[in-house]
Amino acid sequence: MKVLVLGAGGIGGYFGGRLAESGVDVTFLVRERRYKQLQERGLRVLSIHGDLHLERPQMIQAGEAAGSFDVVLLSNKAYTLAESMDAIAPYVGDDTIVIPLLNGMAHMEPLRDRFGRERVLGGLCFIETTLNAEGDVVQTSPIHDAVFGEWEGGKSERVERLEQAFSKINGTMRASNNIQREAWHKYLFIATFSGITTLMNSAVGPIRESAYGVELTRQLAEEIVSVMQALEAPIKPDIVEKQMETFQNQRPQAKSSMLRDMEKGLPVEADHLQGYLLKHAEQKGLSTPLLKVVYNNLKVYEQKRAAGK
């Protein structure tokens, strides 16, 4: 099975590296700067689950001839979606399966419109990872799982083949019978987690220990759930309680990837995550005051970043 991984950053570098380590034929589609960096240094993963060093990872840059792949794993940020779809298009054949590991929902329709609904699975991942100054992948969370499945549910023969091919990695890449529900649940968690940590500019620990940190986190989650319910998302009735338990069990030093990106002065996925929800809240006439504050905070950050401040 030939797998193309778009990007070799925190997500793509980690799961692509683990797949290659397990013997899967993996090629990374990367930009010129990352290509040169990996040529010189190799792909290094520094993980609490064991380090990894691929001295000569297989790589291509956009436009290079490589034929089609069996699987294309998308690990890009949402704000590069259009560019990413153009980059992978030459490598998507009639039988190629596209698995996006992006957060949120806004990317699904564009991907299915571009490549066909039958080629695009649902996907998500649970992991805390980033790149250090040397370009190494640093992975720090106890959980390092990726999930995929048929968007309409059930477990098809092709999904079972994928699960079998990915079964030997150091980590988990599992198939889901209900990927839509899992994707909406993940969306709720990441929109809440990224929202509250960026608003407070803090890791989880100080937020939980502050006077209203847990209360505000719950309020944000409840506002987001109200939007999801209005959209008839297949979420569980007790999902807020379950996710607040997860929030309480996070390591005190845990940060959202969005906060880490802000600390590095990088772009953020404000429109793809919180903005998408806010747009639908306004269309449905829902009151989401805290979600508005979270989104506005992110948009102010974007303005400052654009101005170089």
Side-chain angles (χ1 to χ4, degrees), residues 11-12 15 74-75 100-103 123-129 143-148 172 186 190:
I11 303 297
F15 286 108
L74 300 182
S75 66
L101 296 182
L102 287 73
N103 292 315
L124 56 119
C125 62
F126 300 96
I127 192 169
E128 188 175 349
T129 182
I143 298 175
H144 53 151
D145 299 350
V147 190
F148 55 90
T172 302
K186 169 68 185 299
I190 203 68

Side-chain angles (χ1 to χ4, degrees), residues 85 107-117 120:
M85 290 193 295
H107 58 281
M108 289 301 297
E109 281 305 317
L111 283 171
R112 288 184 289 196
D113 289 345
R114 179 71 180 268
F115 300 111
R117 300 179 74 87
V120 182

Side-chain angles (χ1 to χ4, degrees), residues 1 5 24-25 27 32 64 80 99 131 149-150 158-159 167 187 228 239 242 251 285 292 295:
M1 181 174 290
V5 179
V24 175
D25 184 354
T27 299
E32 182 179 5
E64 284 190 38
T80 67
I99 305 177
L131 291 184
E150 298 288 353
R158 65 176 181 171
V159 163
S167 64
Y187 189 6
M228 292 182 173
I239 189 58
K242 295 291 186 183
R251 297 173 303 113
K292 284 183 179 178
Y295 180 71

Side-chain angles (χ1 to χ4, degrees), residues 12 18 42 52 71-72 93 99 105 124 133 138 145 147 201 213 221 257 270 273 289:
R18 291 301 190 197
L52 163 68
V71 179
V72 177
I99 305 177
M105 289 289 165
L124 56 119
V138 181
D145 299 350
V147 190
N201 190 28
S257 60
L273 295 179

